[in-house]
């Protein structure tokens, strides 16, 4: 099929894997993400580990109201440490009155939730943030860069 071959290299799949030890080889060359359990199982485990967090997690995952996950590409913040990103992100959030929470980093396709402050943001990395719909990353990143410049000139 023409559609299949034209977009196959661009298409990511989400697949459920029941037994990673026995079945991971089936998806070895698949561009995608393995999901290891259904949402009910994840919610139950989450609630047992951190009571009261299921509502928060559900809100973020539903993308229907309130903040939700956004992935953004750093440009002006490339080369910064995670600590600098958080510090100047707080300044930008306050200055612009835009609530944002930095949740993690995708580096070479691997997720790094809660990186250490010294971790460097590289070209091609993706940031995962929680923000409200309509979040303007470019404007936010410009404000972070302005905040960093004004800090270093003080």
């Amino acid at each position: 099929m023409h559609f299949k071959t034209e977009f196959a290299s661009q298409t990511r799949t989400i697949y459920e894997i029941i037994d990673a030890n026995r079945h991971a080889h089936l998806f070895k060359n698949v561009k995608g993400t393995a999901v290891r359990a259904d949402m009910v199982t994840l919610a139950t485990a989450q609630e047992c580990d951190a009571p009261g967090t299921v509502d928060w997690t559900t809100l973020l995952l539903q993308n229907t109201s309130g903040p939700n996950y956004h992935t953004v590409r750093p440009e002006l913040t490339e080369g910064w440490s995670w600590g600098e990103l958080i510090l100047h992100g707080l300044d930008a959030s306050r200055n612009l009155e835009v609530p944002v929470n930095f949740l993690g980093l995708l580096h070479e396709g691997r997720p790094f939730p809660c990186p250490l402050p010294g971790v460097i943001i590289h070209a091609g990395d993706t940031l995962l943030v929680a923000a409200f719909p309509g979040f303007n990353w470019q404007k936010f990143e410009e404000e972070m860069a302005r905040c960093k410049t004004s800090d270093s000139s003080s």
Side-chain angles (χ1 to χ4, degrees):
M1 237 178 134
H2 181 66
F3 175 80
K4 206 173 192 181
T5 56
E6 182 180 353
F7 296 103
S9 65
Q10 301 169 30
T11 303
R12 287 187 51 82
T13 57
I14 296 175
Y15 53 91
E16 184 173 359
I17 193 158
I18 305 302
D19 184 341
N21 293 326
R22 290 183 37 210
H23 302 119
H25 70 279
L26 297 172
F27 300 95
K28 185 177 176 184
N29 296 316
V30 173
K31 182 178 177 183
T33 302
V35 177
R36 299 208 176 167
D38 64 33
M39 192 54 88
V40 173
T41 304
L42 293 173
T44 303
Q46 179 64 34
E47 191 65 22
C48 290
D49 286 345
T53 59
V54 167
D55 291 337
W56 180 83
T57 304
T58 302
L59 178 69
L60 283 172
L61 291 174
Q62 285 179 332
N63 288 343
T64 55
S65 65
N68 44 67
Y69 295 117
H70 297 265
T71 54
V72 296
R73 290 283 188 167
E75 291 180 18
L76 302 175
T77 52
E78 188 180 298
W80 290 19
S81 70
W82 184 257
E84 290 173 311
L85 183 81
I86 299 301
L87 178 69
H88 299 299
L90 288 170
D91 293 337
S93 179
R94 185 175 31 255
N95 293 349
L96 297 173
E97 296 182 353
V98 173
V100 175
N101 286 301
F102 290 94
L103 303 173
L105 171 71
L106 286 168
H107 177 70
E108 296 180 352
R110 291 184 38 224
F112 293 92
C114 301
L116 290 169
V119 169
I120 302 300
I121 298 164
H122 297 279
D125 285 352
T126 301
L127 306 175
L128 178 63
V129 301
F132 285 87
F135 173 62
N136 185 334
W137 168 248
Q138 183 178 358
K139 182 177 179 181
F140 193 85
E141 190 179 34
E142 287 169 0
E143 181 62 18
M144 286 193 301
R146 192 194 66 70
C147 291
K148 184 177 183 186
T149 301
S150 71
D151 270 4
S152 59
S153 64
S154 311

